[in-house]
Structure formats: structure tokens, C-alpha cells
Amino acid sequence: MYASKQPIDSYASKMTDEKRHSVYDGTSSGTYKRYSVLFKDYEDPDALRKLAGKVKDHTLSHLPKYLEQAEKKLTENGATVHFADSDADARDTVLAILKKHGVKRLTKSKSMAAEEIHLNPHLERNGIECLESDLGEFIIQLDDDIPSHIVKPIIHKNRNEIAETFLREGIAEDLNNDPETITRRARSYLRKKYFEAEAGITGANFVSAESGRIALVTNEGNARFGMAPVPVHIVLVGIEKLLPRDKDFGLFLNLLGRSATGQQLTVYTQFVGGPRHPDQPSGPEHMHVVFMNNGRTDVLKSNCREILRCIRCSACQNVCPVYRQSSGHAYRSVYGGPVGAVLSPILFGDRFAELADLPKASSLCGACNEVCPVDIPIPDLLLRLRDKAKVEKVKSVGALPMAPFAVLATSPLVWRTAMTASKMMNHLPIQYTPVAPLQNWLNQRTLPKWQGGDFRKWMKGRQSETTETKESSKSPSND
């Protein structure tokens, strides 16, 4: 087999069959469920996702206005609003809040924004115990691993590996890979931690600028558990998560659940309007919302701004043939798959040269665009980033040089000559060519017979026949 040197191919070639099957099964099941639920419930789901795309586009075009409106409403609700320009600003802001309230232990609900800025290691270096409460993220933390999927962070692991982790960490007394038993053991362990925590950190799926309400969705209820007993709640959210109105929640929550896991709605949907009111029995007394930029305004100014519509549903990851064969770890960033191939190189602008190979690791099949609930033209954005790499003369390791083909495909005379001359390949012993990748490739395949130039001859002959037929039909002798 041809051994590509592209980073994603190299990673995929070293994956175990077990891991590859785990990723393939996990992504395939999500895709099938999505089709079943979406098309069963809506006559024209395509119209819905185009509407969602327009709402997000409108919001991004008026982002300063909606950020100001959200800040005003959140403040009126009793929350404290912070703005963080960079990843360091966001980490320092969260740390300062925790120190102000004397927090030493906290629970965290899954947040891609926190993963993006590597928040956990920063807090732990500063003496704060940070426990992940999402089951998948909890297992990732125990294994000192990193997530490989937006919605299913341990899609690359199977239940046997998880059972072994629990036994190793003393969470289980025996090796039992029954999913229900694993879940029950994790729940028993985590519930004690909720009561020991002094703060809870969550992300936000959406924020309404109209009311300042924050929408949080989980399938385990861990965000609710994390907030109920603690005095401090910190929301870390990217500035692109804003929606103009409360009624927009209806559209986006329906699309998110169906696109992410094939559910009509996620099991727990929570709307947080601010800290606990005096007449409420429980809940945080202090609520801090940190709006994080971290390169998003640069993305907004680029020709790939549509990627900021993303609602982190992972539908594009589930359907992508490259992701299914390589897993999210191959993308070398917190965001993997098609969305990561666009977002990572431009969001982390100083790493563009390092990540410029990601847009090239795509077949441009268009499946990611078809499933995207906010109609992001991902294949178009991948092409724009390939062009950016070319303009900036960024070389990608292992990428095949396309310049000779560009000359061939844009010069009609050269193209015709090459096609005609290609028939010589039928008489050359190319199986003996001293090029190792070509020999490896030919060991498994047989090239079809070259027929360069035949199509042009056929086309010319057909055009002549058509012309003669038309002239013949105009002849007076036929009247």
C-alpha cells in the first residue's frame, strides 16, 4: 500500500484495528439515527438548516450589538460578565474568579472552550482540583488522554478499556465491562465529588442576547448536579455562541439534538438566567460569564467566517470518511474532523503553517456540508484554506505537488499532447519502474488501458454527424 507521509495518513496507518472499529461504529450509529429522526419529524429539514444558517450569519454580522445586549441583560439578572481576548486572558480570568471566592475544588461540565484553552492543567498548576463530570471526559481525565470527538470524547475507546481504567483507579473492585455497571460506578464516585466542590464550571450551548439566558444541554444531567450544591458558577463561552432571541432556542435545540445524537432533544435542557434568587432553594449565589474571543474576531474577518456558525454537534465528524478512518487525535487539535480542518488552522492563527495540511486531508465529497445543521459550506472553506496556504507558500509535509498538474490542466495544447502521448503507457513496463510507491500500488491494482485522445475523436465525429443531420433537415428536397 502507498505509504503517505501526510500526518493524518501516518496516524491512521498506525491505529489498531480495535480503535478503528470503535471510531467507525461510534460515528456510523450517530449518522443513521440522525437521518431517521430528522426526516421523520420534518418534511423539509433542509429549509430548517438554511434558516439556522441565516440566523447565525445575522448574529455574526451584528456581533458587537448582541454582545453588548447580552452583557446588559446578564448584569441585570445578577451575573458578572467578563471578556477575555486571548486564551491566556480566559485562563487568568477564571483563575482570578476562583481565587476571589477561595475555591480549591470544583467540578466541570464538558466545555470545548475550556479544552481549547487547556484550562484544567492551568488550574491544577495553581492548586485547584478540577474534576470532569461528563462520563466521557471523566474517563479521559483518568487516562490522562485528550478527547477525540466533540460529543463523544471517548469514541476511540471500547468498554473493555474503560473497565480496565476503573479497576486501575480503584473506582471498581472487579473487572466488569457491562455498560450499565460502568455508568453506575461512575455515578456513585462522582456524586460525592459534587458535594465536596466549591464551584462549577460549564460551557454554554447558546446564549440569548434578548434575555441573557444560557442554554445548557447534557444527556447525563451533570451540569445540573455541578451547579446545584456550589456557591459559584462560571460559564466559559465563545462569543460566537450568541443567538438574538429566546425563540431562536426552539430552532437550534431541535437541530442540535437530532444532528448530534439522533435525539429529538437531549435528555437535560437547562436555561440559566442568572444566580440563585433568595426565594430559590438551591443554586449558585454567584454567576460569572466569561465571553472568550481567542481568535474568533480574526476568523470573522477572514473568508472562512461561515465556520463560526458551528454549533458543535459533530454531525460532520460522524459522516466524514477521513475522520472515520483516523479519529480526532489525528487532527492534532481540540477540534477534529471537517470542522476542525477549517477551524483549527485559522482559529489558532500562529499555528497556521503547522496545521495547513488539515484542509488537504479531505476528499471534498461534500457529505459534511449535507449534514451540517447550519449549512456551513465546509468543502468551499477547505478550498479557500488550501489557496491561503499556496499564497503564503506554506508547504505541507507529504502533500503531493500539484503544480505540474495545474500546468497540464490549464494548457489545452499541452493537455491534448499529453493525452495522446499517454497511449505509450500501454507499451511501457511501468511495473518495473524504480519508484517504490508506484510499485507498491501496482502490486495491488492493474491499470486500465490508456485511451488518451479517443474521447476527442469521438466528440468531433459526433459533432460532424449532428451538423450534417441539421443541414440535411433544412434541404428543400426534404420538403
Side-chain angles (χ1 to χ4, degrees):
M1 180 178 289
Y2 170 63
S4 170
K5 292 181 181 178
Q6 291 192 64
I8 288 183
D9 287 344
S10 298
Y11 185 91
S13 67
K14 296 172 185 171
M15 282 174 62
T16 63
D17 289 342
E18 193 175 29
K19 184 173 180 177
R20 197 187 312 279
H21 289 152
S22 296
V23 175
Y24 189 85
D25 291 344
T27 52
S28 301
S29 62
T31 299
Y32 295 142
K33 286 181 183 176
R34 174 189 170 276
Y35 281 122
S36 172
V37 171
L38 197 60
F39 287 89
K40 179 181 176 185
D41 292 348
Y42 296 109
E43 289 184 3
D44 189 2
D46 193 49
L48 279 182
R49 69 191 197 100
K50 290 192 180 303
L51 173 62
K54 288 180 180 176
V55 172
K56 290 294 286 186
D57 261 353
H58 166 82
T59 313
L60 293 170
S61 298
H62 301 81
L63 197 53
K65 167 191 164 185
Y66 287 121
L67 273 173
E68 186 178 344
Q69 189 177 343
E71 180 190 16
K72 181 172 182 288
K73 286 297 177 182
L74 282 163
T75 304
E76 289 174 359
N77 295 344
T80 305
V81 179
H82 311 259
F83 291 94
D85 191 48
S86 66
D87 55 347
D89 290 342
R91 289 191 295 266
D92 292 343
T93 301
V94 172
L95 181 62
I97 295 167
L98 295 173
K99 283 186 173 179
K100 177 185 174 184
H101 292 283
V103 174
K104 292 293 182 185
R105 285 172 292 192
L106 62 86
T107 59
K108 184 167 155 286
S109 183
K110 186 169 183 285
S111 162
M112 294 303 293
E115 291 289 342
E116 180 185 317
I117 63 170
H118 309 294
L119 181 63
N120 286 14
H122 183 69
L123 297 182
E124 288 164 4
R125 282 195 297 272
N126 285 277
I128 297 174
E129 180 185 319
C130 184
L131 182 73
E132 294 287 350
S133 59
D134 174 272
L135 178 57
E137 291 283 334
F138 174 55
I139 293 163
I140 289 286
Q141 189 176 33
L142 292 174
D143 285 343
D144 195 23
D145 198 355
I146 55 175
S148 66
H149 190 269
I150 292 175
V151 174
K152 303 173 182 176
I154 54 169
I155 197 171
H156 58 290
K157 294 180 185 290
N158 59 42
R159 60 184 183 176
N160 296 325
E161 293 172 286
I162 298 167
E164 289 170 1
T165 296
F166 275 30
L167 184 61
R168 185 193 68 217
E169 296 296 323
I171 296 171
E173 295 180 353
D174 59 357
L175 189 66
N176 189 324
N177 66 2
D178 172 54
E180 187 175 333
T181 303
I182 290 173
T183 306
R184 193 183 307 116
R185 287 172 170 172
R187 183 168 58 187
S188 176
Y189 179 86
L190 288 171
R191 288 204 175 192
K192 297 174 188 172
K193 298 292 184 181
Y194 288 126
F195 290 105
E196 295 172 359
E198 296 152 330
I201 295 180
T202 69
N205 293 93
F206 306 104
V207 180
S208 166
E210 180 184 30
S211 65
R213 285 193 180 89
I214 288 170
L216 282 167
V217 300
T218 68
N219 273 321
E220 302 165 21
N222 52 309
R224 298 177 67 178
F225 272 120
M227 291 170 52
V230 298
V232 182
H233 175 208
I234 300 174
V235 182
L236 178 63
V237 56
I239 56 176
E240 81 280 16
K241 293 296 187 71
L242 282 168
L243 294 177
R245 306 157 299 184
D246 280 11
K247 69 178 184 181
D248 294 323
F249 285 144
L251 172 63
F252 284 90
L253 289 173
N254 275 289
L255 284 172
L256 178 61
R258 286 170 172 83
S259 302
T261 53
Q263 297 167 281
Q264 290 177 314
L265 279 178
T266 42
V267 178
Y268 297 92
T269 302
Q270 195 172 358
F271 300 97
V272 184
R276 176 171 70 89
H277 290 287
D279 57 345
Q280 290 178 318
S282 63
E285 299 166 15
H286 308 280
M287 179 178 176
H288 295 265
V289 179
V290 182
F291 282 111
M292 184 175 75
N293 183 344
N294 197 29
R296 285 161 173 76
T297 49
D298 292 332
V299 178
L300 200 56
K301 287 185 274 187
S302 76
N303 62 354
C304 294
R305 55 177 286 158
E306 295 97 325
I307 199 64
L308 290 180
R309 297 180 199 164
C310 179
I311 59 173
R312 310 287 191 265
C313 70
S314 76
C316 64
Q317 293 183 327
N318 291 339
V319 79
C320 176
V322 178
Y323 180 93
R324 285 179 169 184
Q325 293 297 321
S326 58
S327 89
H329 287 168
Y331 290 79
R332 316 187 309 281
S333 170
V334 64
Y335 302 107
V339 61
V342 176
L343 190 57
S344 298
I346 47 174
L347 186 62
F348 312 118
D350 56 343
R351 296 177 60 199
F352 179 75
E354 177 193 340
L355 300 172
D357 63 290
L358 299 182
K360 297 182 179 179
S362 169
S363 63
L364 301 178
C365 66
C368 48
N369 181 213
E370 288 182 7
V371 300
C372 179
V374 284
D375 194 29
I376 300 174
I378 292 178
D380 292 344
L381 304 188
L382 292 170
L383 288 174
R384 291 173 200 170
L385 287 175
R386 292 182 185 185
D387 182 61
K388 175 180 168 66
K390 182 177 183 299
V391 170
E392 297 183 8
K393 302 185 186 312
V394 177
K395 293 184 178 179
S396 297
V397 177
L400 293 174
M402 299 300 291
F405 179 76
V407 173
L408 190 67
T410 55
S411 306
L413 178 60
V414 177
W415 178 267
R416 286 196 295 271
T417 304
M419 289 300 102
T420 304
S422 67
K423 286 185 175 179
M424 294 174 60
M425 297 289 287
N426 295 327
H427 308 289
L428 294 176
I430 57 173
Q431 64 271 29
Y432 301 115
T433 303
V435 180
L438 183 60
Q439 286 184 356
N440 292 337
W441 196 80
L442 290 172
N443 284 337
Q444 300 181 36
R445 300 168 181 83
T446 302
L447 284 176
K449 185 179 179 182
W450 289 80
Q451 299 183 17
D454 288 355
F455 175 77
R456 289 179 180 277
K457 288 181 182 175
W458 173 82
M459 194 65 189
K460 282 182 180 177
R462 186 173 182 279
Q463 286 174 332
S464 299
E465 290 175 4
T466 304
T467 304
E468 289 173 2
T469 303
K470 286 182 179 178
E471 290 178 351
S472 174
S473 65
K474 294 177 182 175
S475 172
S477 61
N478 292 336
D479 294 339

